[in-house]
Amino acid sequence: MLLPGCEPDPFLSVEETQLDFPAEGGSATLHFVANKDWSVSSEESWCTVTPASGEGGKGEIVLTVKCDRYEGYDDRSTAIALRCENLQKRVSVTQSSKGVLIIEKTRYEFGYEAQTLKVSVRSNKDYEVNIAEDSQAWIHLVDTKGLR
């Protein structure tokens, strides 16, 4: 029982600490609880949160976090700040970059003698080298070097 004039201390709880989005963008939900009026903001315009504020003490609050499509080649990140009076919680938001795979030459021709071929590949993402099953008898992977 509360005495007249006594108010509970502010309370703010959020379980998610990280949201990840693909380069295509999209939306996700963020759940939290606050017992007093709250507000939320994003540090970057490419990441928006709705609603931006509301009343606390009404149970779980659900926000929608949206990220725009991203055409860059490096991952990007920002933070969402949740506030309830003097309390603040931050949720990190990371968006993957657009994948790039550049192979300088896509067609090679060989004579009948054995040869070693160097294929130059540039990528900002991890990649695998696979040899078709019906070609594994005559094509062998010697080594790969990962350059970014």
Side-chain angles (χ1 to χ4, degrees), residues 2-3 5-13 32-40 52-61 63 82-88:
L2 294 174
L3 297 173
C6 291
E7 283 194 37
D9 290 335
F11 175 79
L12 177 62
S13 175
F32 73 100
V33 176
N35 67 342
K36 298 196 178 223
D37 291 354
W38 57 270
S39 65
V40 62
S53 62
E55 293 179 29
K58 297 184 176 186
E60 185 177 72
I61 301 155
L63 302 174
L82 297 159
R83 292 178 195 82
C84 177
E85 289 195 357
N86 62 336
L87 300 177
Q88 178 174 306

Side-chain angles (χ1 to χ4, degrees), residues 52-122:
S53 62
E55 293 179 29
K58 297 184 176 186
E60 185 177 72
I61 301 155
V62 180
L63 302 174
T64 300
V65 180
K66 291 183 181 179
C67 286
D68 295 340
R69 180 179 195 82
Y70 181 47
E71 296 293 330
Y73 298 113
D74 294 311
D75 292 353
R76 65 181 177 178
S77 60
T78 189
I80 293 170
L82 297 159
R83 292 178 195 82
C84 177
E85 289 195 357
N86 62 336
L87 300 177
Q88 178 174 306
K89 302 278 184 170
R90 294 172 59 84
V91 176
S92 297
V93 176
T94 302
Q95 188 170 24
S96 298
S97 60
K98 178 175 150 181
V100 176
L101 182 66
I102 300 170
I103 302 172
E104 291 180 8
K105 188 175 175 183
T106 59
R107 181 178 171 91
Y108 297 89
E109 293 187 21
F110 295 94
Y112 61 90
E113 69 279 347
Q115 296 179 13
T116 300
L117 169 69
K118 289 186 180 182
V119 178
S120 178
V121 177
R122 291 184 291 159

